[in-house]
Amino acid sequence: MDSLDRAIELVMRWKADRQKQRADVLSRLDAVVKDCQAAVQVWQGYLAKPGAPGDQWTIVSWVGPDRAKQLHEINLRAKQNVEEICRMAGPRSGRFVALDEDVIEMAYRMLKPGESGADAAKTAVQRLQERMEYIRGLMQRLKATPAKAQGKKPATKHGALKTAGKKATKSSKKKAAPAKK
């Protein structure tokens, strides 16, 4: 989520002429929240009907391959949206997006010692809810931050004199250079 944080920081600095792109970023963040909600439903579906216990090593053996595949597909959509947000924000945000942790809690990790599949599912739901709140917070920050005004700063008398002085110096240097034969 580091890349997403950087991307939102960059988007918050965008000028007012990029409102359409800003709206697209908000839309993609909303899509990530919806993906998290879909993943919560998959995990809660398992908790509602846990089935037979799996082995002591993998969560997939507890939740089943169908649910694991659903979570994987949801994660691919969510990652695609995060990557697109980072691409839109610029290269400074998305340089390491491929190294960020998965947005969605997957069923492909190992169980911790003494952890059951149901424990892992409850932990996944909790993490996804925290992640949704975090992304909603990013959305609120982005909505609350006004776009920077477009245009140049008004020239002050002092600033105008400095600019004029620099131009005069450059042009006088060109005139003073001796002609080559």
Side-chain angles (χ1 to χ4, degrees):
M1 302 290 274
D2 257 359
S3 299
L4 187 58
D5 290 335
R6 288 187 194 124
I8 297 306
E9 288 297 322
L10 290 171
V11 170
M12 288 171 49
R13 295 182 197 154
W14 282 356
K15 297 200 184 292
D17 65 341
R18 297 190 69 183
Q19 289 302 323
K20 184 178 179 212
Q21 291 93 347
R22 202 177 178 107
D24 192 27
V25 168
L26 285 169
S27 172
R28 288 186 180 276
L29 284 171
D30 188 51
V32 173
V33 169
K34 288 178 182 173
D35 288 334
C36 289
Q37 289 169 341
V40 165
Q41 289 177 349
V42 172
W43 283 110
Q44 288 176 338
Y46 163 71
L47 289 171
K49 296 180 186 176
D55 65 26
Q56 64 181 3
W57 306 110
T58 63
I59 298 172
V60 174
S61 67
W62 289 73
V63 300
D66 292 337
R67 286 189 181 106
K69 183 179 177 185
Q70 283 179 316
L71 291 167
H72 179 72
E73 290 170 353
I74 293 168
N75 186 54
L76 289 176
R77 282 195 313 264
K79 282 180 89 167
Q80 184 179 17
N81 280 318
V82 169
E83 288 172 2
E84 184 61 20
I85 290 168
C86 291
R87 186 197 63 75
M88 290 171 62
R92 287 180 38 205
S93 66
R95 232 179 298 184
F96 302 108
V97 72
L99 302 176
D100 282 349
E101 65 186 42
D102 287 327
V103 178
I104 304 299
E105 289 294 315
M106 304 286 278
Y108 296 126
R109 74 168 173 84
M110 300 292 289
L111 287 169
K112 297 173 184 169
E115 183 182 38
S116 70
D119 296 336
K122 289 174 187 173
T123 301
V125 168
Q126 180 185 5
R127 286 184 181 162
L128 284 165
Q129 288 172 340
E130 290 169 359
R131 204 159 284 152
M132 284 187 287
E133 286 305 310
Y134 180 74
I135 293 170
R136 286 182 183 124
L138 291 177
M139 292 171 68
Q140 288 301 321
R141 281 180 46 207
L142 192 56
K143 289 176 184 176
T145 305
K148 295 190 177 191
Q150 186 179 358
K152 296 181 180 179
K153 295 179 184 176
T156 60
K157 183 177 179 182
H158 186 66
L161 292 175
K162 279 187 176 180
T163 307
K166 287 181 183 177
K167 288 179 184 176
T169 306
K170 288 180 184 176
S171 62
S172 63
K173 286 182 181 178
K174 288 180 184 177
K175 291 179 184 176
K180 293 184 180 179
K181 291 183 181 182

